Amino acid sequence: MRKVGELLLGGCARMWKSVHRASSGVARRDPLANKMALVTGSTDGIGFAIARRLAQDGAHVVVSSRKQQNVDRAVAALQGEGLSVTGTVCHVGKSEDRERLVATAVNLHGGIDILVSNAAVSPFFGDIMDVTEEMWDKILDVNVKAPALLTKAVVPEMEKRGLGKPEDCAGIVSFLCSEDASYITGETVVVGGGTPSHL
C-alpha cells in the first residue's frame, strides 16, 4: 500500500512539474523568434533587463541610451551571452535620434515588431509646488511627447508586418496564467490591436 501511495505521489509531482513548466513558458522555445524589438533607455536597470529577456526569448533587439559608452557596454554584455543585440545612441527627446533609432532597426532587420518606451526622466523629488517650468518641460518632453512621437514613427513599420489574429488574444491569456505574470493581480489588460488608442 505504501508503494502505491509513493507511486501516486510521484506521478502527481511529475504531472504538476510539467503543468508548471508549460504555464511558465519553459516548454515553449523562442516565443519571439524573428521579431524585431526596440527598447529605449535600455543600457542599465529595468530597460537592460527587458532587452535581455526579449533577446533570450528570440527577438533581435536594438538597445539605446544617451551615451555611446553605455550602449557599447550593454551590447557587449548581451552579445557575450550569445544574444542577438545591436545598439545606437538615442536621446528620445531629440527627433534626429529617434529617426536614427527607427532607421537602425529597419536597416538591420527589415522592420519593427516591438517598441518598449522605457526611457524616462524624473528631474525633481519633493513638493510638486516647487517644480519649475523648465522641469515640467523636460518631464513632458521625455516622458510624454517623446514616446508618442516614437510610436508615430514606429507604427507604419509595424503595419507592414500585418498586427490581428485570434491567436493574438490567446497569448495574453497564457501569459497571465504563467509565472511571468505572478505579480499581476486584478488588472484590466486591453487586447485590441491599438484600436482603443486609435493606432
Side-chain angles (χ1 to χ4, degrees), residues 165-199:
K165 306 184 295 289
E167 291 75 17
D168 294 330
C169 297
I172 192 66
V173 174
S174 178
F175 162 70
L176 290 171
C177 295
S178 76
E179 286 298 309
D180 283 342
S182 62
Y183 212 57
I184 300 174
T185 303
E187 299 296 332
T188 300
V189 179
V190 178
V191 185
T195 302
S197 305
H198 303 285
L199 291 175

Side-chain angles (χ1 to χ4, degrees), residues 86-169:
T86 54
T88 186
V89 170
C90 180
H91 184 310
V92 294
K94 297 180 178 178
S95 61
E96 62 272 20
D97 282 16
R98 293 191 301 268
E99 290 168 10
R100 182 175 57 247
L101 179 63
V102 172
T104 297
V106 172
N107 292 337
L108 287 174
H109 302 290
I112 300 168
D113 301 288
I114 300 162
L115 170 64
V116 180
S117 289
N118 179 69
V121 295
S122 184
F124 182 81
F125 295 94
D127 192 325
I128 195 169
M129 299 307 292
D130 295 328
V131 180
T132 65
E133 184 174 357
E134 183 182 38
M135 290 175 183
W136 277 120
D137 287 342
K138 187 173 185 179
I139 291 168
L140 293 172
D141 279 349
V142 175
N143 298 2
V144 179
K145 190 169 81 171
L149 293 175
L150 191 52
T151 300
K152 184 177 179 181
V154 166
V155 165
E157 298 300 331
M158 289 181 166
E159 285 176 336
K160 294 174 186 175
R161 300 289 216 193
L163 257 148
K165 306 184 295 289
E167 291 75 17
D168 294 330
C169 297

